[in-house]
Structure formats: C-alpha cells, structure tokens
Amino acid sequence: MFSVTLRCLGRQVHQQNKSLAPLFTYSKNGLNTEATFDTKPFKLHKLEEGPATTVTLSRQDALKYYKDMQMIRRMETAAGNLYKEKIIRGFCHLYSGQEACCVGMRASMRSYDAVITAYRAHGWTYIMGVDAVGVLAELTGRSTGCARGKGGSMHMYVKNFYGGNGIVGAQQPLGAGIALALKYQGTDGVCLTLYGDGAANQGQLYEAMNMAQLWKLPVIFICENNGYGMGTSVDRASASTAYYTRGDYVPGIWVDGMDVLAVREATRFAIDHCATGKGPMVMEVVTYRYSGHSMSDPGTSYRSRDEIQEVRQTRDPITGFRERMLSTDLATADELKDIDQNVRQVIDDAVKRAKSDKEIGLDELTADIMSNPIDTRVRGVTAFDTLTHKRIGPAVNS
Amino acid sequence: MASITRFRACDHLLNLNIFRSSFKKNGMLNALWFHTTPRRLVVELKMPSLSPTMTSGTIVNWHKKEGDTVNPGDVLCEIQTDKAVMAFETEEEGTLAKIFIGNDSHDVQVGSLIALLAEPGEDWKNATCSDTPKVASEKPKNPPKPNCEVSSSEHQDKRNSKRAMTLGPAVRNLLERYGLSPIAILGSGPRGLLLKGDVLHHIQKENLKPVPISSAAEPKISSKAIVTEPQKSDLQKGTTKKIQNLTHEQEYQDLELSSMRRTIAKRLTASKTGIPHAYSTINCKVDTVMNLRQKFKNEGIKFSINDIIIKAVATALDLCPEANVIWQGDQLVQPTNVDISVAVATNSGLITPIVTDVLGRGVLEIGDMVRDLAERARGGKLQLHEFQGGSFTISNLGMYGVSEFSAIINPPQCAILAVGGSRLELGDDGKPAMVMSATLSYDGEAISPVAAATFMSTLQRLLESPQSLLLGHRSLPE
C-alpha cells in the first residue's frame, strides 16, 4: 500500500477545489495524498436519496484511474491505427471518450461482481483484467490473445466478464440471468449489465427488467448513452431520452459519464442498493464517443467535427481528470507525463507483439469447443468425418 | 527539481521496476538521467486504409503544414479513397515534423510513410525516422517500354492491341511494304501510338528493303483485324507468340463452287424467291405400314418404307389431280401420268431422278428403280431424261433422324413433299404409335390450300391404312 511519510505535518497547501475546502491534507513535497471534489448533481428516478455529490479521491487511486484511462485511450487508438493498416480486419468498435465509464465502475466493483456488455468492449476487457497484449493480440488474431485469437473484437472473456456481445441488446436478458445466478448461489454479487442508447429501445430489456424487479435480482442496468446509436442521434431514435427513467418501476440514476468520480460514486450507490436485496437499478451514464460507431464509420456524417472537438476540449474525461489532479496537487505534471510515456511504451510493445506473434495452428480446430464435452466427437465437413475434441485450457466463467 | 528526491518520492509508482532497471542499465548517477523510460521521438504516419477495399489512394490536400501543432482529433489531410474523399484524423499529440508526400499525390499505397509527427516539446525540425519513405511525392508516368522481344505482360498486350487498331494509313502502307509487324517498333506518339516517323526511323536503322510483292505475307489489314480477336484470349494466357504466327497462316479455307452447285444455287434462289411457297404438314401413323413391311420381310420380300410412300403419294395424286400439276411456260398442265422425282444426295449435290409411271408399278418394282437410279446418280451416270421432268418430288431425310423439315419446290413442278423419320408417340387412344411427319411445300399460285389439304389427308389415309391403296377412285371421301 501507499506509505505515508508525515514529514510535513501541518503544512497548509491551498486547494483549488470546485467549492468545498479540504478536510485534511498530508502533503509531501507539495503533493497531497487526498482531495475532495464535487460532481455534477445526479438525477434520480423513484429514489429518495442518491449518491453523494462530494467525493474523496486518494492520490494512489487518482494515479491508477489516470493510468487506466490512458491505457484504454491509447489501446483504442492503437487498435484504430492497426485497423487502418489492415492488420485488424472485421469489426472494431472503439471506446475512445468513454473511458471514465468503465474505470469508474470498476473502481466500485467488488472482485466477485460480474459485468456483461455489448460490442464496445475493449475498454471493459482491459479493466476486468486482460492486459494490452491480450486485447490487441486477440484483435489481430494471434495465439497470445485472450481467446487465443479465435474470437476477435466481440469475443473477449475473462473471469466475471461475460463479453463482448454482437447482437444489439442480447446481453440485457443475459445480465439478468447472471444476476439470478449470483443470487441463487447465495453471494451478494451484483451483475452490471451495460447497453447503449440504441439498445435501450429493445423489447427484451423491459422483459428482463420486469423479471428482475419481480424477483429482486441484483442487476444494474446501465445505459451508456453516447448520444448516437450508430448514426442516429438519441432525439431521432427515442421518444423518451431520459433513459434512467425508462425502467418505470425500477429506480434510476442519471450520471455524468465523463467524470470518473461521479461514475464511481453512482456505481457504489447502485451496488449497495442491489447487494442489499432491494432489487434492480437503472443507471444512465451520459458519455461521448470520439470515433465513429465502428471503423467503417468516419463519424462525421451525422455530427459535425466541431461538436467532437468541442467535447474533446471541454469534457474529455482524461484531460478533465488530469486538471483535477494537477489543480489539487495530487500529482505533478511531470509525473503524469511519465505515466503517459510509460503507457505509450507499453502499448507500443503490445502492438509490436500483436503484429509479430504467431497464430494458432490448424490442430486447434476442434479445441475448446465445449466446456464439458460428454461426447468428444466433433462433426467434420460431412457426417462421416469425425474429429476429436481437444482441451487446451479451462473454460472461463464456467 | 532534484531528480533524487523525485525518484524516492515515486517509490510507490507502478513503473518503479522500469525506473530501476533503466537506472541500473545505464549505470548513470541519479543526477544525470532526465527521463524515466526510453521514449520515441517521432511518430510515423502511414497511409491509412480508410475503406475496407482500399489499396491505394490520393492525398488531396494537407490541412496542416510542417511545424503546425497537432491535437488529438485534428484532421491532417484529406485522402481520396476508391469510394470517397475522407479526412484522415489523428489521435496523437505533437507537431507535424515532415510531410513526405505532398498535395495531389496519386497512387499512394496503403502503409507507405506519408509524414512524421514529433512529440510535443521535441525539436521537430530535426525529426528523423528509421526507414526512408518508399514513395516519392511525384510519381512519373510509366514510359512505354520498348519491346523487340515479344513480352508476356498483360499491360503490353493491351497497348499493342490498341496500337494495332489505331494505325494511320501511311503507317500501315509502310509496314506492308517492308513486311514489318507493328509490335516490333517502338511508338513515340501519344499513348504509345506508332507514327510514320517511327517506322521510317526503324527502316533506316535496320537498313530494310521493301519486300517483293510476290512473297509478301497476308495483307496486314485483314490479319490485324483478326489478330485483335485472338489477342483477347492471349491476354488471358499471357503469351503473344500466336500473334506472330497468325500473319503467316491461313485462317480460313476457300471452297470452290462446282458448276453443279452454282446451278443448284441459281435454281433454288429462283424457286424460293419466284414461287409463292405454302406449307402443309400432316402426321401419319405408320404402324400398319411398318408391320406390313415386317410381315413381307419375314416371307423374304423386301422393300423400304420410302417405296410405299412413293406408291401412296402417287395414288393420292391420282385421287387428287389438282395437286398433280406442272407449269409449262405460263400454262398450268395436269399430266395424266404420275412421275415422281426422288431426291438423292450425292457428293456433288442433290439430284432428283424420276420414277416414271408409279401408278402402274408395284412397290417392289418402284424399290428396284429407286435403288438403281440412286446408284447411277451417285456415280454421275444419269442420263438427261432421267432427271428432267416429273410432276412431283419426294425428299426423305428420315434416315438421318430428321423428324420434320420443309423443302424448296423444283420448278417447273408445283409441289414437293418432305418426309421425316418415324418417331414413337402417344396416340389419341392412349396407345403408343409410330408417327411420321410429312410437309408439303406447294406453289400457292398453282395449288389451292383446299386441294393441298385434301391431298395431304388422302395421303394420310393411304399410309395409315395401306389396304386403301387397293380401292382406287371410288375410295375418295365425299
């Protein structure tokens, strides 16, 4: 853990907070170990009280969040560049701009909480424990990828992370099911089920919400509202754009998704709500994606470049967080620059490895198809060709 | 600030190990190192693939100049892909150090280096990169390759075929006179066009002499016109050897028209254009006739179906005299006898020897006569009176498997019957029957459609029940 040296007891340092003065500070060489911030107020639906709007952030946490967000940002940029070099093919949906969502939520999750999301999943894969090489090599289809290169962009799994789902809104009922499993197994684990503003109009979401409310399942339905469902803006897609109220009888919270601390706070509140058996919860996390829907979408045919630039300059999660850290002396600019450099180095190395690592051989054609193969025969090209099932590694989340 | 204290204060940082290892590796004292991790100085910007099918593109124009600050999300340049003009953005931060491929550069391959981006704070003027740019900013067009050898490149063939088609008359004349091939000479006109000056230059260079006329090859124009066709297939094969050979080979064969053929041709043309042909077809069930023939054959008496047909036709003509007419000048004449011409195919053409007085002869005699006449016809030993005359012709292609056809009338006759082969068909009563089709081509001026129809129905009746041949005039239905 972080070792606090109290060499400078009692030194007063000015805080440039949003409003409140700090409670106490331990300064080391002009750096604080803790700071307090105010977030935007949360909007509540069918809730008496919401998450706290005053949050405390420790230096260690701050650096961790910063590094994680930078890693995700650079990793997605690298994926985009690799795609433009035609080394990654197929689908590639980038998370640039939405980093605060996954970093903030993970910060409040316990180790046994589960997550299931849609196809914009690279950031989530990283934050749930797969390193950059695992993600990038999976995108380029190499054996060092987290699914041995067999899955690609929408098929990444790790413990307690259920992917990566290509069909729009398919993960919504699945998330409710995972929550049912967690409740059934007697843990107080919670399942975070993420979907987008486009998928918020899918029918199965409301079916899942109904069952979750009925049986008090510990599921948090989180709508990552980035303003556009592919190319359709929310105003043109939904009759009601207040996605946090769409659960009707399910309580909801509206969160500013560009503020990692607000997201953390809201998730903490929601997990607390669900884990104590009060039933499901809906969270709308308002965020923004800088790139297009996928790599085949330039992203500028349904919105202006000015809009993207404006969000980049005023609401970017990483720069916003950096300013907070610098203004409260949680870190120095050089420190952050070093983290940037380090992140860039790690990602560059990961890219190199993703380009140079080997793919799996043809002998893995029948490997790891079933997690519990009762019959190890696998049908070949015709009914008369039989191949044998191979086991390479244990199944994730089985 | 002192790097020593900073190092100690950063104990807890995650990149601790990297700090320590680089520190130890360099063997430097605390005070000497400036950076914690090895850093790249420049970012290489490569030509992106902005559409899934893009392999090369054009840089239309640069939005940033060398030395401009680049922020994440800024547009660097506009690239024309195979589909549209798209903007190339970057997520990097820094200064645009060098532009290798400038505005309006065509055919830049995906992946080639187009610019360098220096890190913020770096000296961008001295930015260097590891590999040199592969593509120059201005790509000169491919000059036309001189080929005195026949090359096998597709590009070459395309241009050659184009050239072969667009030679001027003076050029062609020269090529012909000197016996040259257009491929062997380098053209200096636009798009590799072969000019008169090029040919003259070539002639002068090689000290060529005009080819003597007798030994000249095929006229260059026709061979060229044909050469373009097979060249298309050569493009696929990728070889052009054939082009050279074709100019010296014959691509077609002349067929000499014998005088007999010419006569036939003249007569047929006159007949078809002069006589208003009308057609009438009838299907006859020939089971009875065939059984009859088989029965006689079992007893040792042989005759062919054709013989019976000849007999039946003659009887029908006797019963329907309106169909038995010939032209004598402008006059239509009805002969009392029925002489039937039988079409025989010989090597030199079709001949129709006449079987005279069919009505008075039996089938066996008719058969003998036909065989004799056919043999002599093939040998060319027919006498004039043996094939000139007759009032009606029968042409039988049944032995070739033809089911139905129509023939051209032989003037001065007015009708010709085309008999096809018998085929197994389902009859009206649901039972299978052998059916034979006969098509009558008749002169619409001389024979009325009713007369022709009556004749045909009579013929059908006679063939379907051959015992009617016995009956004579009184057998005609009212």
Side-chain angles (χ1 to χ4, degrees), chain B residues 7 234 248 259 272 300 322 417 420 470:
Chain B
F7 173 61
D234 284 344
H248 306 292
S259 59
K272 196 75 186 190
E322 298 96 67
L417 188 73
L470 297 167

Side-chain angles (χ1 to χ4, degrees), chain A residues 34-332:
Chain A
E34 215 171 64
T36 317
F37 301 99
D38 269 351
T39 62
K40 263 194 203 154
F42 302 97
K43 294 186 205 163
L44 303 171
H45 172 72
K46 296 243 163 85
L47 283 169
E48 294 306 318
E49 354 168 281
T53 49
T54 312
V55 297
T56 347
L57 176 66
S58 74
R59 183 178 136 83
Q60 190 186 10
D61 284 344
L63 291 167
K64 180 179 189 318
Y65 302 158
Y66 183 80
K67 180 182 174 259
D68 283 338
M69 289 199 286
Q70 276 290 42
M71 280 290 277
I72 295 172
R73 176 69 64 91
R74 280 234 59 85
M75 191 177 71
E76 295 294 74
T77 313
N81 291 339
L82 281 172
Y83 195 95
K84 288 186 185 143
E85 287 175 40
K86 284 192 161 176
I87 297 171
I88 298 178
R89 313 300 291 272
F91 287 117
C92 195
H93 305 87
L94 301 181
Y95 208 63
S96 304
Q98 300 181 210
E99 301 87 5
C101 301
C102 66
V103 172
M105 286 177 203
R106 183 75 174 124
S108 294
M109 276 167 62
R110 299 148 308 167
S111 60
Y112 49 91
D113 287 329
V115 173
I116 187 169
T117 182
Y119 42 79
R120 207 172 293 281
H122 306 158
W124 271 105
T125 315
Y126 172 79
I127 207 73
M128 292 299 285
V130 179
D131 62 349
V133 175
V135 174
L136 288 171
E138 183 59 37
L139 289 172
T140 55
R142 309 303 157 110
S143 58
T144 35
C146 57
R148 295 186 71 74
K150 294 187 281 191
S153 171
M154 298 191 280
H155 198 89
M156 298 182 186
Y157 301 93
V158 80
K159 184 144 170 59
N160 290 329
F161 178 58
Y162 292 84
N165 291 279
I167 309 289
V168 172
Q171 72 280 11
Q172 292 151 352
L174 294 181
I178 297 167
L180 173 63
L182 289 168
K183 181 171 178 177
Y184 192 82
Q185 286 162 357
T187 67
D188 68 336
V190 167
C191 179
L192 277 72
T193 305
L194 298 113
Y195 55 93
D197 44 283
N201 295 317
Q202 287 277 303
Q204 65 268 18
L205 174 61
Y206 303 96
E207 294 179 29
M209 278 186 191
N210 176 52
M211 287 186 236
Q213 182 71 10
L214 208 51
W215 302 325
K216 297 276 186 291
L217 300 179
V219 52
I220 311 176
F221 292 104
I222 303 169
C223 176
E224 281 178 308
N225 179 3
N226 55 24
Y228 297 93
M230 263 174 68
T232 315
S233 75
V234 289
D235 303 306
R236 285 177 50 228
S238 302
S240 158
T241 53
Y243 294 105
Y244 67 106
T245 61
R246 296 282 287 273
D248 189 17
Y249 36 77
V250 181
I253 311 174
W254 179 100
V255 188
D256 174 14
M258 301 305 243
D259 179 356
V260 66
L261 298 174
V263 174
R264 184 185 75 168
E265 233 25 64
T267 315
R268 187 176 293 167
F269 179 86
I271 290 178
D272 191 55
H273 181 271
C274 296
T276 48
K278 299 202 188 85
M281 189 117 161
V282 172
M283 241 168 74
E284 179 188 343
V285 183
V286 174
T287 177
Y288 198 84
R289 59 163 160 81
Y290 297 142
S291 55
H293 164 74
S294 72
M295 285 309 295
S296 45
D297 173 22
T300 45
S301 46
Y302 44 87
R303 55 187 184 176
S304 70
R305 217 177 276 287
D306 293 331
E307 182 191 308
I308 308 173
Q309 289 298 75
E310 194 236 324
V311 175
R312 259 192 209 273
Q313 270 140 32
T314 57
R315 288 170 49 202
D316 186 81
I318 298 177
T319 39
F321 194 64
R322 175 208 291 260
E323 268 159 32
R324 272 182 162 167
M325 290 206 309
L326 293 177
S327 65
T328 55
D329 283 333
L330 281 173
T332 60

Side-chain angles (χ1 to χ4, degrees), chain B residues 336-351:
Chain B
T336 43
N337 278 342
V338 177
D339 299 333
I340 293 194
S341 317
V342 178
V344 172
T346 64
N347 284 342
S348 42
L350 196 72
I351 259 191

Side-chain angles (χ1 to χ4, degrees), chain B residues 359-433:
Chain B
L359 284 172
R361 300 183 203 271
V363 174
L364 292 172
E365 201 180 347
I366 292 168
D368 287 342
M369 280 185 77
V370 169
R371 263 193 302 279
D372 174 45
L373 284 167
E375 205 184 288
R376 283 194 290 124
R378 285 192 198 104
K381 296 189 193 100
L382 276 180
Q383 293 175 359
L384 203 68
H385 68 95
E386 281 174 322
F387 59 89
Q388 277 186 346
S391 56
F392 196 90
T393 311
I394 298 179
S395 179
N396 192 334
L397 286 181
M399 69 283 272
Y400 295 106
V402 174
S403 58
E404 204 181 307
F405 73 107
S406 58
I408 299 176
I409 300 168
N410 262 334
Q413 291 176 7
C414 297
I416 179 168
L417 188 73
V419 177
S422 56
R423 57 189 185 276
L424 198 63
E425 265 187 15
L426 207 59
D428 293 328
D429 53 357
K431 294 204 185 80

Side-chain angles (χ1 to χ4, degrees), chain A residues 84 86 305 312 344 348, chain B residues 49 54 89 91 119:
Chain A
K84 288 186 185 143
K86 284 192 161 176
R305 217 177 276 287
R312 259 192 209 273
R344 180 165 282 188
D348 281 348
Chain B
S49 161
M54 183 178 167
E89 300 173 349
E91 285 276 340
E119 296 285 291

